[in-house]
Amino acid sequence: MTDQSAQELCQRCKKDEVTVNSRKEKFCSKCFQKFITLKQRKQMMSSDYYRDIFKMLYKDKVRTAQEAEQQNLDSRILVPLSFGSSSLVLLDILNDTLTEQSHQHKGKTGFSVDVLTCYRHEEDLVQIKENINSLRERYQVNKGKINFHVLSLDSFFNSCGNELQQIVLHYQEFSSMGADVTNFDTIDQLLKKCPNRNSSGDLLYFITRHVVKKYTLQHGYKAILWGHSMTRLADEIISLVVKGRGAQVATSLDMHSFDSVYGNKFKNSYPLKDILLDEVDAYLYIAGLDQLVIGYDARDSLLINKVKQDNSHKNIRLVRNMTINELARKYFNDIEGDYSNIISTVLRTGDKLAEPEFNQGGEGKEESGKCSLCLGNLHSDASKWLRSIAVIQGYPIENEEEREFYEKWSQSAVGIENAEYMKLKDSIWENGTYVPLCYGCIITMNGIKNRNVKWPKFNNTELNDVLNEYVLSEEDEDEIIKAH
Ligand SMILES: [Zn+2]
Ligand SMILES: [Zn+2]
């Protein structure tokens, strides 16, 4: 069978040997890369806003030569680089675009790219720095047009300008209050309070997303180019629905509105939204980027010549230990290939959704606003609804036996923890202020130890407090920072 496929020719150019099989078509490496690149570029040209960013602008009816030049210089975008396959491929295609423009326009380009990597542990930094250096070498021709930045998520809490609050959820009412705090938990401490990988994954995602967007706001980028593939977006849609966060699907896919939570200054773009994750992974191998992946296991399912040993027994997490996101991903991974149209149907349906109408009703309270934990728009009073469906009133102690059990319980670890929670709750209910939470976040908070988190306030002071970058120690990078 290998012999047969080795002789087979690409269906597009009819010249080169077939290396990839995707969407029932057989490609050579070159034609496959072109196929993927064009899909990404189509998204990068999907509106006037993005065209103005990515195109090389010259003098025309609406702008002078100087204005065009300035606009090219101002067209700066941010790529959050996790070192998974998608963000690496996205960045690599951007580098090719820059190289092409620079050839066509005498060294000039229509835009420049800043790359941001967020990390959790100091020990991760070694590998990240090493891989960034490899990328710098790879992108040598576009030196100055692609710049790398690294940020510690823990340092983010340090640089909140003391704008932190402790949010506490009421165990019976499902209402939530918050009060100022000056000390904070490290990311590790925060995640340890979560009952499962689902909630810790969510909290980590909220923080990382906020850090990326805050960085974007502070540095005036025109857009964030997220690496999400079609598969990843589809699993995001399914997971949001399952987690009771379905109302956020429309906002989370919106490429064409300015991000209203961050002052309408930039847009969020998903240039890989027409590309399946398996295709991204195939591109990764073909482009020789697989050595640069960190913490991700790229699949070679579309490659004619498999690059991996059979390691299907490796890295398999038990289904019961998977997060909802991982389950959705597993589902889509399993159907990619034969049923990939299901993935695009999920995405197309999600894309058609609109935000729910704001619910202004109920006790004269206006329910518009943002969730204090995930920053999602609020459409209804979720705590009120939860109160109406749940029975959570305690049962009074009636006899000596029950009192004895109660005493024993109060002295147990759970009892002591509960007493701590009651004390905290009472004090916040006395001194705090109302902070709204969405349904999904109430459910998350209800599982977190002592139902509280120390969380940024997301106010203007916090947004303007400058994030401390880790300075990368390459000579020219040092100079750039000093020059500011
Ligand atoms: Zn070909
Ligand atoms: Zn929320």
Side-chain angles (χ1 to χ4, degrees), residues 171-215:
Y171 69 112
Q172 283 179 326
E173 311 272 311
F174 299 114
S175 54
S176 39
M177 302 274 278
D180 290 6
V181 275
T182 44
N183 63 332
F184 58 90
D185 291 334
T186 62
I187 302 277
D188 280 354
Q189 285 169 334
L190 178 70
L191 301 186
K192 254 186 222 140
K193 288 164 77 175
C194 295
N196 51 44
R197 296 179 52 251
N198 237 339
S199 2
S200 58
D202 278 355
L203 292 189
L204 187 61
Y205 174 66
F206 297 151
I207 290 168
T208 313
R209 184 179 59 183
H210 175 61
V211 168
V212 169
K213 291 188 174 187
K214 177 170 165 172
Y215 190 87

Side-chain angles (χ1 to χ4, degrees), residues 245 248 371 373-376 437-438 441:
R245 300 178 184 275
Q248 290 167 28
C371 170
L373 198 73
C374 73
L375 287 170
L437 292 178
C438 71
C441 287

Side-chain angles (χ1 to χ4, degrees), residues 159-310:
S159 57
C160 274
N162 276 337
E163 296 297 318
L164 290 164
Q165 61 181 342
Q166 187 163 24
I167 304 175
V168 179
L169 180 77
H170 196 289
Y171 69 112
Q172 283 179 326
E173 311 272 311
F174 299 114
S175 54
S176 39
M177 302 274 278
D180 290 6
V181 275
T182 44
N183 63 332
F184 58 90
D185 291 334
T186 62
I187 302 277
D188 280 354
Q189 285 169 334
L190 178 70
L191 301 186
K192 254 186 222 140
K193 288 164 77 175
C194 295
N196 51 44
R197 296 179 52 251
N198 237 339
S199 2
S200 58
D202 278 355
L203 292 189
L204 187 61
Y205 174 66
F206 297 151
I207 290 168
T208 313
R209 184 179 59 183
H210 175 61
V211 168
V212 169
K213 291 188 174 187
K214 177 170 165 172
Y215 190 87
T216 303
L217 181 72
Q218 293 188 345
H219 292 81
Y221 301 112
K222 294 260 161 79
I224 305 175
L225 270 66
W226 299 95
H228 304 36
S229 63
M230 189 199 295
T231 317
R232 166 70 203 278
L233 287 170
D235 82 40
E236 184 78 27
I237 293 169
I238 299 288
S239 312
L240 282 172
V241 172
V242 173
K243 288 189 274 199
R245 300 178 184 275
Q248 290 167 28
V249 169
T251 330
S252 71
L253 294 175
D254 187 353
M255 277 180 54
H256 296 295
S257 311
F258 283 100
D259 197 314
S260 63
V261 180
Y262 295 84
N264 292 310
K265 300 278 195 243
F266 59 85
K267 296 188 179 184
N268 296 283
S269 170
Y270 303 99
L272 299 180
K273 68 185 279 190
D274 293 330
I275 305 164
L276 295 164
L277 185 59
D278 276 359
E279 293 173 327
V280 173
D281 286 359
Y283 191 106
L284 184 87
Y285 284 114
I286 288 174
L289 287 162
D290 51 303
Q291 302 300 321
L292 296 175
V293 164
I294 302 177
Y296 175 78
D297 196 16
R299 309 204 318 163
D300 60 3
S301 56
L302 303 184
L303 298 182
I304 303 291
N305 295 316
K306 304 291 174 214
V307 282
K308 294 165 46 164
Q309 310 290 345
D310 178 36

Side-chain angles (χ1 to χ4, degrees), residues 268-460:
N268 296 283
S269 170
Y270 303 99
L272 299 180
K273 68 185 279 190
D274 293 330
I275 305 164
L276 295 164
L277 185 59
D278 276 359
E279 293 173 327
V280 173
D281 286 359
Y283 191 106
L284 184 87
Y285 284 114
I286 288 174
L289 287 162
D290 51 303
Q291 302 300 321
L292 296 175
V293 164
I294 302 177
Y296 175 78
D297 196 16
R299 309 204 318 163
D300 60 3
S301 56
L302 303 184
L303 298 182
I304 303 291
N305 295 316
K306 304 291 174 214
V307 282
K308 294 165 46 164
Q309 310 290 345
D310 178 36
N311 53 3
S312 46
H313 59 283
K314 229 176 63 184
N315 288 334
I316 291 190
R317 205 182 276 283
L318 288 172
V319 167
R320 67 185 154 84
N321 290 336
M322 287 176 128
T323 66
I324 291 168
N325 285 70
E326 284 163 350
L327 277 172
R329 166 67 57 86
K330 182 182 176 330
Y331 170 67
F332 286 125
N333 270 345
D334 293 347
I335 63 170
E336 259 199 38
D338 286 353
Y339 300 100
S340 56
N341 54 339
I342 295 178
I343 298 173
S344 66
T345 306
V346 169
L347 182 55
R348 260 184 290 129
T349 311
D351 247 345
K352 279 186 199 136
L353 295 175
E355 278 254 349
E357 301 271 318
F358 286 106
N359 176 6
Q360 310 266 344
E363 294 161 16
K365 205 160 82 183
E366 196 177 294
E367 293 304 340
S368 62
K370 303 257 173 268
C371 170
S372 312
L373 198 73
C374 73
L375 287 170
N377 285 326
L378 293 170
H379 307 98
S380 59
D381 187 343
S383 58
K384 197 174 129 198
W385 182 73
L386 277 163
R387 278 197 299 277
S388 73
I389 60 156
V391 180
I392 9 83
Q393 297 300 330
Y395 188 78
I397 295 170
E398 279 182 344
N399 56 40
E400 221 18 69
E401 199 187 358
E402 284 175 1
R403 174 160 311 280
E404 227 170 86
F405 277 131
Y406 175 77
E407 293 297 335
K408 267 194 189 147
W409 175 82
S410 355
Q411 266 135 52
S412 70
V414 185
I416 292 166
E417 201 181 296
N418 186 63
E420 266 170 39
Y421 163 74
M422 293 309 252
K423 211 172 119 196
L424 172 68
K425 189 214 75 182
D426 290 343
S427 107
I428 301 252
W429 250 253
E430 210 164 285
N431 311 311
T433 48
Y434 167 69
V435 294
L437 292 178
C438 71
Y439 172 81
C441 287
I442 292 178
I443 302 301
T444 303
M445 282 284 287
N446 201 38
I448 290 175
K449 194 177 167 205
N450 283 351
R451 298 181 183 85
N452 78 92
V453 286
K454 290 172 184 164
W455 206 244
K457 283 189 190 166
F458 303 125
N459 57 15
N460 278 334

Side-chain angles (χ1 to χ4, degrees), residues 10-16 27-32:
C10 166
Q11 287 177 314
R12 296 223 161 170
C13 66
K14 314 248 184 317
K15 218 171 68 207
D16 293 328
F27 297 88
C28 69
S29 298
K30 224 164 131 193
C31 291
F32 181 70

